[in-house]
Amino acid sequence: DGGITQSPKYLFRKEGQNVTLSCEQNLNHDAMYWYRQDPGQGLRLIYYSQIVNDFQKGDIAEGYSVSREKKESFPLTVTSAQKNPTAFYLCASSIGPGPTFEAFFGQGTRLTVV
Amino acid sequence: AQSVAQPEDQVNVAEGNPLTVKCTYSVSGNPYLFWYVQYPNRGLQFLLKYITGDNLVKGSYGFEAEFNKSQTSFHLKKPSALVSDSALYFCAVRDNANAGKSTFGDGTTLTVKP
């Protein structure tokens, strides 16, 4: 079954902790993205990767880090520098980085600071 | 810079009636426009896109959208709404100048009442 898998579905973080959200795709897509969704707001881009071993900051990259060592994997680390990390995080991929390709989304990870 | 506006936070329609969810955009180059749907606590699902050609685009689940260049709009429509269409709908835009990045609207909640 092809698709994007995000894990865990729910994640709780204590103040000062780093946490890593997993995103794996078996669609053979080149481009991958991380978005943050807050209530009443659209999706905001955190980081994106157009090809393996390369990634760029999105609009709200502060307090986050990523890696793209394998084509199928794009993990996101929420660091202690992110002051308000409670949100719904969505990973997506597309066939390529070009503007004509639609995105395929995972089911999301809901992160809560406790 | 590219931007998307969804002027209505909420749209309510009766089952069987036509529905319209509005979207306007601003880009510096040629627009590539997308509609996605999100059900509670899930990722986004792609509905349809406009790349070029016919201004009326047909997509999944009986949805269609009309691209209007002069009004910079891309409204989502369906001739006969179903209760199961109730969800959060997002419009998104990409252009060649920002090929790696999509800009999403804030979303419109569609409620279809029986």
Side-chain angles (χ1 to χ4, degrees):
Chain A
D1 224 4
I4 300 182
T5 302
Q6 289 187 241
S7 61
K9 188 171 183 179
Y10 299 96
L11 186 57
F12 297 89
R13 192 194 93 168
K14 294 181 179 179
E15 296 279 355
Q17 270 186 340
N18 293 354
V19 291
T20 297
L21 283 60
S22 171
C23 178
E24 303 277 332
Q25 56 101 354
N26 60 4
L27 300 168
N28 200 32
H29 286 177
D30 282 325
M32 296 188 75
Y33 312 85
W34 274 106
Y35 292 93
R36 171 179 171 143
Q37 184 177 20
D38 294 284
Q41 298 189 35
L43 278 64
R44 291 184 289 168
L45 183 64
I46 304 172
Y47 269 97
Y48 63 105
S49 169
Q50 296 182 337
I51 198 167
V52 66
N53 290 322
D54 185 53
F55 51 84
Q56 287 82 39
K57 293 182 179 180
D59 300 317
I60 56 165
E62 186 175 352
Y64 300 97
S65 65
V66 294
S67 64
R68 186 87 188 277
E69 297 175 359
K70 298 186 294 183
K71 187 175 185 178
E72 59 270 23
S73 179
F74 192 42
L76 173 74
T77 296
V78 184
T79 75
S80 57
Q82 171 49 239
K83 298 307 178 187
N84 184 23
T86 295
F88 191 50
Y89 291 86
L90 288 162
C91 179
S93 70
S94 60
I95 294 173
T100 63
F101 300 119
E102 64 270 25
F104 293 75
F105 284 82
Q107 296 303 295
T109 293
R110 188 167 298 281
L111 174 63
T112 304
V113 173
V114 295
Chain B
Q2 57 190 29
S3 65
V4 173
Q6 294 182 240
E8 300 159 316
D9 291 337
Q10 181 115 18
V11 171
N12 297 312
V13 298
E15 188 174 30
N17 283 0
L19 69 87
T20 299
V21 183
K22 296 180 180 177
C23 172
T24 59
Y25 66 90
S26 173
V27 295
S28 55
N30 290 325
Y32 303 97
L33 296 153
F34 302 80
W35 275 102
Y36 294 88
V37 60
Q38 184 181 33
Y39 296 98
N41 296 311
R42 305 296 293 270
L44 279 66
Q45 296 176 33
F46 168 73
L47 280 178
L48 50 79
K49 66 182 177 182
Y50 172 81
I51 302 303
T52 187
D54 194 346
N55 289 342
L56 185 63
V57 178
K58 294 187 183 297
S60 305
Y61 311 119
F63 284 94
E64 57 190 28
E66 186 166 13
F67 171 66
N68 188 316
K69 187 173 183 178
S70 62
Q71 297 185 5
T72 61
S73 67
F74 189 56
H75 300 333
L76 181 71
K77 299 181 180 184
K78 188 173 183 181
S80 180
L82 299 173
V83 172
S84 57
D85 293 329
S86 299
L88 182 58
Y89 290 81
F90 289 98
C91 181
V93 67
R94 304 178 83 171
D95 69 6
N96 282 316
N98 297 281
K101 299 166 65 172
S102 295
T103 298
F104 286 81
D106 288 343
T108 297
T109 299
L110 172 67
T111 301
V112 181
K113 298 182 178 179

